[in-house]
Amino acid sequence: MSTATQNIVVNKVEKSKIDQVDFSNLAFGSIFSDHMLVCNFKNGEWQAPTIEPYAPIQLDPAAKIFHYGQSIFEGMKAYKDEKGSTLLFRPKDNWIRLNKSAERMVIPEIPEAIFMDGLTKLLDVDGDWIPTNEGSSLYIRPFMFASGNGFHASPADEYKFVICTAPSGAYFSGKVKVLIEEKYARAANGGVGYAKAGGNYAAQFYPTQLAIDRGYNQVIWTDDNTHEYIEEAGAMNIFVRIGDTLLTSPTSDRILDGITRKSIIQIAKDAGIEVKERKVTVAEVVAAAKSGDLKEMFGAGTAAVISPIAGFGYKNEDFDLPELENPYAAQLKKTITDIQTNKSEDPYGWRFEVK
């Protein structure tokens, strides 16, 4: 059946597949909800968005996404609180960052109304897909790509904006062991490292696989020039605790302006934790590990929220991090997730209720 609400046409599935899903045993991002939002850019403007049954997207073999990689995305989550309200976390920050990525990749910016109204309507239609189990959420993937055709190496003339959702459990289970990268780089000055471009992640897979083959879970990326400074942890921002000070690399052309990262910095400062945004050298991390001053390392991002690092390898030497009774990572993760799920007050105005 088809209904039009707030200028968004909704074409619902004949029968939901939700009864086929075991919500108590969810992997991350491998089961998809009934519907998706689709909006096309053509003739120089964004068309009216529609909500359609989740299904394959048909593209011409000459679509420029296949040849020149104009593709960007965001990662978000929706939660249900004890009253059954649907909640988002800083969604307009995702819209702003998506458009920063769009500008860098010469993709037309998506209007706020299409992003926010489309997202909230999609969550209204598929609200039953939001898990309520502890640690679970509805992962939301907005993305945009070049759908216009042509082999000419130039921006496309048509684009597609899509939002898909996936009920998901934890991204990582337990702590991870990482390898500090000495050869490969995630991004370079003047490049697209600060954008959530699909190619950034594709380029990570090879060095990450090399690390996995050596018994590590992820790579700690270092700067492209000297490999003297740590920058990100896999697909996440990275925090390092030396003594009682929390360190994180400043954002740049190479480092993503993470929404979880910004939230952690604010929460930590308000909790009386000393936070410094500055370059962090590999040498000082190794020296702190040897002296016992290195207390914690953790990745931060939407998917995992906070992922503690159990140890790291560098120059054929492994270093284990101590087991702390009340680590910053656990404190900060609890504060953020309590805000996200409406288990605590939100003094920052980050929580967004879908109505």
Side-chain angles (χ1 to χ4, degrees):
M1 62 180 175
S2 177
T3 58
T5 304
Q6 297 178 349
N7 299 320
I8 299 176
V9 174
V10 179
N11 297 306
K12 289 191 174 183
V13 294
E14 293 283 334
K15 184 181 186 307
S16 175
K17 58 182 183 289
I18 195 169
D19 58 356
Q20 303 171 22
V21 178
D22 179 3
F23 279 85
S24 64
N25 186 31
L26 292 170
F28 184 88
S30 60
I31 297 169
F32 305 100
S33 313
D34 283 328
H35 300 91
M36 61 184 186
L37 179 93
V38 179
C39 187
N40 294 305
F41 181 91
K42 58 183 180 180
N43 301 322
E45 61 182 8
W46 288 102
Q47 309 298 302
T50 60
I51 290 176
E52 305 171 1
Y54 181 91
I57 296 171
Q58 186 173 16
L59 292 171
D60 192 286
K64 290 198 174 185
I65 176 57
F66 299 134
H67 308 279
Y68 305 113
Q70 277 181 287
S71 173
I72 58 174
F73 69 94
E74 278 295 319
M76 311 170 67
K77 287 180 177 178
Y79 306 87
K80 282 274 182 75
D81 66 8
E82 293 179 351
K83 298 178 182 178
S85 299
T86 298
L87 307 169
L88 295 168
F89 185 71
R90 306 185 70 167
K92 289 191 179 180
D93 286 349
N94 290 100
W95 165 68
I96 291 168
R97 190 173 63 183
L98 184 68
N99 280 336
K100 286 182 180 178
S101 299
E103 180 183 30
R104 182 63 180 84
M105 300 299 289
V106 199
I107 296 174
E109 294 185 12
I110 193 76
E112 181 180 358
I114 291 176
F115 185 94
M116 290 301 300
D117 292 352
L119 174 58
T120 55
K121 186 60 184 175
L122 180 63
L123 292 176
D124 177 57
V125 172
D126 275 350
D128 289 343
W129 283 86
I130 303 173
T132 56
N133 298 45
E134 189 73 26
S136 297
S137 61
L138 185 71
Y139 185 76
I140 302 167
R141 173 54 59 87
F143 59 101
M144 299 162 68
F145 64 90
S147 55
N149 301 338
F151 292 148
H152 189 272
S154 59
D157 58 358
E158 294 186 3
Y159 296 85
K160 194 176 288 285
F161 171 63
V162 182
I163 304 178
C164 297
T165 63
S168 297
Y171 190 78
F172 289 118
S173 56
K175 295 184 178 181
V176 298
K177 186 180 177 184
V178 299
L179 178 67
I180 296 180
E181 184 56 55
E182 300 175 54
K183 176 182 178 181
Y184 297 100
R186 177 188 171 275
N189 285 333
V192 298
Y194 71 91
K196 283 188 75 70
N200 288 346
Y201 298 80
Q204 293 184 37
F205 294 158
Y206 177 67
T208 301
Q209 186 59 53
L210 293 179
I212 291 170
D213 292 343
R214 292 176 58 182
Y216 300 91
N217 304 103
Q218 271 293 353
V219 167
I220 295 291
W221 300 107
T222 50
D223 69 287
D224 63 302
N225 187 27
T226 66
H227 296 288
E228 294 177 1
Y229 301 96
I230 67 170
E231 297 200 330
E232 291 201 349
M236 298 180 286
N237 295 115
I238 186 168
F239 286 83
V240 176
R241 175 184 174 185
I242 296 179
D244 290 331
T245 302
L246 200 57
L247 307 174
T248 191
S249 305
T251 56
S252 66
D253 284 351
R254 304 185 307 275
I255 297 176
L256 186 71
D257 185 14
I259 293 166
T260 305
R261 173 189 177 276
K262 290 189 288 191
S263 305
I264 287 171
I265 291 170
Q266 185 65 62
I267 289 169
K269 287 180 176 178
D270 290 349
I273 297 171
E274 183 179 15
V275 181
K276 292 183 178 179
E277 295 180 71
R278 65 162 175 82
K279 290 184 175 181
V280 181
T281 67
V282 176
E284 70 178 307
V285 173
V286 172
K290 290 180 176 179
S291 69
D293 291 329
L294 181 64
K295 304 300 183 184
E296 293 180 72
M297 297 172 67
F298 55 86
T302 297
V305 185
I306 288 177
S307 181
I309 293 170
F312 69 91
Y314 182 64
K315 290 190 180 298
N316 297 315
E317 189 173 3
D318 284 330
F319 302 88
D320 293 324
L321 275 74
E323 291 281 349
L324 303 180
E325 187 173 333
N326 190 26
Y328 287 171
Q331 296 176 44
L332 295 166
K333 183 172 184 177
K334 184 178 188 306
T335 300
I336 290 177
T337 55
D338 281 355
I339 290 173
Q340 290 172 333
T341 55
N342 200 19
K343 293 178 180 176
S344 70
E345 294 298 317
D346 175 16
Y348 310 104
W350 292 338
R351 191 166 54 229
F352 179 92
E353 184 177 349
V354 176
K355 297 180 179 179

